[in-house]
Every structure is written in C-alpha cells, then in structure tokens.
Amino acid sequence: MARVGRTAKDPVRLRRAIVVLMSAQGQAVPDITSLMQVSADYVRDVIHAFNERGFAALDP
C-alpha cells in the first residue's frame, strides 16, 4: 500500500504510469501527447522503456 502513496506524490512517476496506461488502452501517441501535454518523443521513450524494463521504467 505504501507504494501507491509514493506514486501519487511523485508527479514524474505518475505521469509515466498514465502514459503507459493510455498506451495499453489503445490510445494513439498523438492523443496521449495532447491529453498529457508532453511531446511525442517523451511518450515513445516512456513506452519503449516500459517495454524493456517493466515497472522499473516508471521510476525517475
């Protein structure tokens, strides 16, 4: 349970988790970028890192 609390208090980790979740739900990169106000490169980097390292990629 403590892990959830840390996630909510860490905006970088939370933002990365949301990007991964949106991607897993089938959202396209342009949709994620407009909703999250981040670049397409950021979205792709987060997704690729998650695919390579799993949940460890969410850590700043």
Side-chain angles (χ1 to χ4, degrees):
M1 290 303 225
R3 190 173 191 129
V4 173
R6 275 197 310 256
T7 300
K9 293 176 185 173
D10 187 343
V12 174
R13 185 178 177 137
L14 182 60
R15 183 172 51 240
R16 289 177 183 175
I18 292 170
V19 167
V20 170
L21 179 62
M22 291 178 73
S23 175
Q25 291 175 334
Q27 295 289 327
V29 171
D31 295 335
I32 298 171
T33 61
S34 65
L35 288 170
M36 297 299 298
Q37 296 297 301
V38 295
S39 70
D41 286 338
Y42 177 83
V43 171
R44 289 185 186 99
D45 287 347
V46 168
I47 293 167
H48 289 301
F50 184 80
N51 288 338
E52 290 174 6
R53 299 189 330 239
F55 288 102
L58 301 180
D59 293 331

